[in-house]
Amino acid sequence: MRNRLGSELRGTLELTLAMVLSGTLGVFVVESGASPFTVVFFRCVFGAVALGAYSLVRGFFTGHGLTPRTFGLAALGGVFIVFNWVFLFEAYEATSISFATVVYHTQPFFLVLLGALVLRERIGAAKVGWLAVAFAGLVLVSGVRPGDTASLKGLGFALAAAVLYALATIVTKRISGVRPHLIALVQVTVGIPLLLPFADFGEAARLGAGWGWMAGLGLIHTGVMYVLMYAAYAKLPTARIAVLAFTYPAVAMVVDWAVYGHHIGLVQALGVPLIVLASLRVTLAKAPQTPQAPQAPRTPPVSAAVPAPRTEGHAPAAASPAATRSA
């Protein structure tokens, strides 16, 4: 019992730190001074280096479990993930970090809707009700007025990013027996050739100090942050993960106010708890309520644009020597 409690405490600290780092992501994007496509391209480059080095040191390439099918699914998820980043960063430019982040956290509802359309999953009356609550919160948060082109544009980009994240989740759920670190590595690696035609290298050459911010996005927000998250997922029950995930938008809103003086209005603020409450209710509708023994890393139901949103079953990975050394 004591070991389990200690493990959960460590997992809580790891995930909290990861979510705090997520909350600073917007500042790194804005301060880089680069266009969204260029930022995401170099995030993929630096992120691939960081995740590749970590996986190599930990021995994750041994008994990796990747097959042509799982690699293809991971690559498809990568397409959705990298363009999800592009749209989210476009939303930062069009509106504010706070606004874009809150709207982006409608991800769970698109996951429910896409699950019904693509996987024929049944949506119960309770979920329909919470979806309505979330929609009401979204209307309040948007605060969009006729003629407010910037807000409408930002709203559209943030919603598009949320949809792409949900699609990535659905695809990645079908992968089993592969460590999430390797799935994430495949996904960011796929982003390099995918975004190469859109990256502006002339712009990148003129960035100066902006290179430090872009390197931070790859090394900190794609390397360190994901390692912390995957380590925490192995130690925490789903309910704890879902609750701690909302540290991300909370920190993002505080940082946006502290650094840029941006804040949402009173009416918009009324919509935030509606989205948070509805998201938690939908996410935890079928979640186990009792803590489980540590297992192979799993991904959260709600998170900060995670490259490998969910994976199903990791028995092959857990049986490998590398798995026995996992955090």
Side-chain angles (χ1 to χ4, degrees):
M1 174 65 75
R2 181 174 299 177
N3 288 340
R4 187 178 68 187
L5 291 176
S7 178
E8 286 196 14
L9 176 60
R10 182 180 175 186
T12 298
L13 294 174
E14 289 170 337
L15 188 54
T16 299
L17 178 56
M19 292 299 99
V20 169
L21 289 176
S22 297
T24 66
L25 184 146
V27 173
F28 278 68
V29 173
V30 173
E31 292 300 315
S32 72
S35 62
F37 275 107
T38 303
V39 170
V40 176
F41 173 79
F42 284 105
R43 180 182 186 181
C44 288
V45 171
F46 288 115
V49 170
L51 289 170
Y54 179 80
S55 297
L56 181 64
V57 170
R58 295 302 302 272
F60 291 167
F61 292 112
T62 302
H64 51 74
L66 284 168
T67 65
R69 176 183 176 276
T70 56
F71 182 86
L73 288 172
L76 178 59
V79 174
F80 293 135
I81 282 296
V82 296
F83 281 107
N84 143 78
W85 286 341
V86 170
F87 280 119
L88 180 60
F89 297 170
E90 289 279 9
Y92 290 162
E93 283 194 352
T95 54
S96 68
I97 295 170
S98 299
F99 178 87
T101 302
V102 172
V103 174
Y104 181 58
H105 270 74
T106 57
Q107 304 157 4
F109 311 109
F110 288 110
L111 182 58
V112 169
L113 293 173
L114 288 172
L117 292 173
V118 178
L119 305 178
R120 305 296 182 186
E121 295 177 349
R122 180 177 174 274
I123 303 180
K127 283 190 176 181
V128 172
W130 287 114
L131 286 171
V133 171
F135 180 75
L138 180 61
V139 171
L140 290 173
V141 167
S142 67
V144 177
R145 298 178 298 275
D148 189 354
T149 306
S151 292
L152 282 172
K153 185 178 179 182
L155 177 65
F157 281 137
L159 289 175
V163 171
L164 288 171
Y165 179 86
L167 286 170
T169 301
I170 288 176
V171 170
T172 313
K173 278 178 64 177
R174 306 182 71 84
I175 301 175
S176 62
V178 182
R179 285 186 168 277
H181 305 78
L182 296 181
I183 297 174
L185 176 58
V186 170
Q187 292 177 331
V188 295
T189 302
V190 163
I192 297 174
L194 185 65
L195 297 181
L196 182 61
F198 306 103
D200 188 339
F201 291 96
E203 173 190 48
R206 299 187 297 270
L207 287 180
W211 276 103
W213 295 100
M214 284 204 298
L217 280 170
L219 300 177
I220 299 174
H221 294 91
T222 313
V224 174
M225 188 179 76
Y226 291 140
V227 169
L228 286 170
M229 285 195 295
Y230 294 144
Y233 300 153
K235 304 179 182 78
L236 299 175
T238 302
R240 184 83 57 84
I241 293 172
V243 171
L244 289 176
F246 284 98
T247 305
Y248 163 36
V251 171
M253 293 172 71
V254 171
V255 169
D256 195 22
W257 168 76
V259 178
Y260 302 113
H262 297 157
H263 59 84
I264 60 177
L266 177 60
V267 174
Q268 290 177 300
L270 295 176
V272 175
L274 294 181
I275 292 176
V276 171
L277 177 61
S279 178
L280 286 172
R281 295 295 297 182
V282 168
T283 301
L284 302 178
K286 295 183 179 180
Q289 299 302 310
T290 56
Q292 298 179 355
Q295 50 186 286
R298 63 180 184 272
T299 55
V302 191
S303 69
V306 180
R310 294 189 186 185
T311 55
E312 287 184 342
H314 298 281
S320 69
T324 62
R325 299 193 298 273
S326 65

